[in-house]
C-alpha cells in the first residue's frame, strides 16, 4: 500500500475525480476525510465507504469560499484522525462566457472557488503540516492552466493562478518538509460531461491524441503518486494527465 495510515483530506470529494480519489486513497491504506458542500451526496458516499473501510472515511461539509469553514475543516480532520498528511485540493466549478459579456458576479465566483479556495485550503493545511514537519498537497489545476481557450476567461485565469501558486507554495514549504504539486487533467469522463451532445463529445475526444477522454481513476492514480513517498523528490511540479492534449501546443 502506498498511503498506509496516512490521513488525507480531499475537497470536492463527493463525485467525479474527487470521489475516485477518495476510493483510491482508502484502497492504499489511508484514512480519508471527504469534504464537499452540505447538499452533496457526500454523507451517503462516506457512510458506504466507511462500512467497507471501518473507521477510515468521514464526511465533513465545507464551502471553500469561507475561510472560517476551511479552517474548521482542517481542525476537524486533525481532531478526527490526529494529523494531516496529505491534501487533494480538488473543489472547483466550470464557467463559460465571452470575456466582454462575463458578469462580475459569475467571474468572481469562479475565481473565488477555483483559485482563492485552493489558497484557503492550502494555507490551513500548511499551518498543520509545518507543525508536524511533513505533508504533501496536490492542487487540481488543468490543461487550461497552461494555455488559453475561448469563453473561459475566469476558469483559465484561476487555473493558471493555481499552477503558479503551487510553485510558490512549494518553495515556501520545502524547508518545512512539505511538498506541493499540481495536476493538470485533460477532459475527464465525469458527470460534468454527461450532458454533452454526441457531436461535442466526439470533438473533445478528438483533441486527445490517445483517442479518448480520461477516466477519474486515472487522475486518482496520479494524485496518489504525488501524495505518496514515491514522489518524495517531486515538488513544484504541474503533472499533466491529459492523453497528449497539450503535447503539440506551445
Amino acid at each position: 500500500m502506498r498511503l498506509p495510515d496516512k490521513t488525507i483530506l480531499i475537497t470536492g470529494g463527493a463525485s467525479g475525480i474527487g470521489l475516485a480519489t477518495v476510493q483510491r486513497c482508502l484502497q492504499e491504506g489511508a484514512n480519508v476525510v471527504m469534504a464537499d458542500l452540505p447538499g452533496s451526496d457526500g454523507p451517503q458516499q462516506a457512510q458506504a465507504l466507511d462500512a467497507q473501510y471501518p473507521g477510515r472515511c468521514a464526511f465533513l461539509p465545507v464551502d471553500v469560499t469561507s475561510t472560517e469553514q476551511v479552517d474548521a475543516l482542517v481542525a476537524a480532520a486533525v481532531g478526527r484522525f490526529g494529523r494531516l498528511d496529505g491534501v487533494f485540493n480538488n473543489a472547483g466549478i466550470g464557467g463559460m462566457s465571452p470575456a466582454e459579456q462575463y458578469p462580475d458576479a459569475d467571474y468572481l465566483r469562479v475565481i473565488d472557488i477555483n483559485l482563492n479556495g485552493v489558497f484557503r485550503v492550502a494555507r490551513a493545511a500548511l499551518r498543520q503540516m509545518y507543525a508536524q514537519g511533513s505533508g504533501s498537497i496536490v492542487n487540481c489545476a488543468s490543461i487550461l492552466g497552461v494555455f488559453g481557450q475561448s469563453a473561459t476567461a475566469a476558469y483559465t485565469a484561476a487555473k493558471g493562478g493555481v499552477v503558479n501558486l503551487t510553485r510558490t507554495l512549494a518553495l515556501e514549504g520545502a524547508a518545512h518538509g512539505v511538498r506541493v504539486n499540481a495536476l493538470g487533467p485533460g477532459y475527464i469522463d465525469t458527470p460534468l460531461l454527461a450532458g454533452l451532445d454526441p457531436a461535442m463529445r466526439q470533438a473533445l475526444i478528438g483533441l486527445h491524441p490517445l483517442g479518448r477522454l480520461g477516466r477519474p481513476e486515472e487522475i486518482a492514480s496520479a494524485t496518489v503518486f504525488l501524495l505518496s513517498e514515491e514522489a518524495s523528490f517531486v515538488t513544484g511540479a504541474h503533472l499533466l494527465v491529459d492523453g497528449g492534449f497539450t503535447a503539440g501546443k506551445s
Side-chain angles (χ1 to χ4, degrees):
M1 290 189 293
R2 301 164 95 180
L3 300 170
D5 301 318
K6 301 291 187 182
T7 296
I8 309 297
L9 169 63
I10 298 173
T11 64
S15 65
I17 291 170
L19 180 58
T21 307
V22 169
Q23 294 167 330
R24 182 60 186 277
C25 287
L26 288 166
Q27 293 166 5
E28 296 290 347
N31 302 312
V32 179
V33 174
M34 174 197 295
D36 213 310
L37 291 168
S40 71
D41 292 333
Q44 296 84 356
Q45 296 281 7
Q47 184 177 19
L49 288 168
D50 196 57
Q52 187 177 355
Y53 302 96
R56 289 175 44 206
C57 186
F59 174 80
L60 292 173
V62 71
D63 180 343
V64 298
T65 67
S66 166
T67 294
E68 292 76 14
Q69 289 190 35
V70 167
D71 290 349
L73 169 68
V74 170
V78 174
R80 178 68 178 262
F81 292 114
R83 58 184 295 113
L84 184 62
D85 299 292
V87 170
F88 182 34
N89 225 339
N90 174 65
I93 61 171
M96 296 189 71
S97 175
E100 80 280 5
Q101 300 174 20
Y102 224 134
D104 278 2
D106 294 347
Y107 179 90
L108 293 173
R109 178 165 172 75
V110 173
I111 295 294
D112 202 19
I113 293 172
N114 290 10
L115 176 57
N116 300 341
V118 167
F119 172 73
R120 291 184 186 99
V121 173
R123 177 177 59 189
L126 286 172
R127 291 167 178 158
Q128 174 64 28
M129 291 174 175
Y130 285 2
Q132 296 170 181
S134 64
S136 175
I137 297 173
V138 179
N139 296 323
C140 195
S142 171
I143 52 175
L144 297 185
V146 293
F147 66 89
Q149 180 172 289
S150 295
T152 63
Y155 191 87
T156 53
K159 293 301 186 177
V162 169
V163 172
N164 228 28
L165 173 64
T166 296
R167 296 183 178 118
T168 295
L169 298 182
L171 293 173
E172 293 183 7
H176 300 274
V178 178
R179 296 182 298 106
V180 187
N181 292 288
L183 276 178
Y187 284 94
I188 308 302
D189 199 1
T190 69
L192 290 175
L193 299 185
L196 292 178
D197 64 75
M200 177 61 75
R201 182 181 178 86
Q202 196 57 46
L204 288 180
I205 289 172
L207 295 173
H208 299 75
L210 289 185
R212 62 176 176 85
L213 301 178
R215 298 188 296 271
E217 294 78 13
E218 292 171 312
I219 305 304
S221 294
T223 303
V224 166
F225 165 69
L226 290 174
L227 289 171
S228 77
E229 290 304 308
E230 293 180 5
S232 57
F233 200 56
V234 181
T235 196
H238 180 213
L239 176 60
L240 293 163
V241 188
D242 67 354
F245 189 106
T246 58
K249 299 176 175 65
S250 60

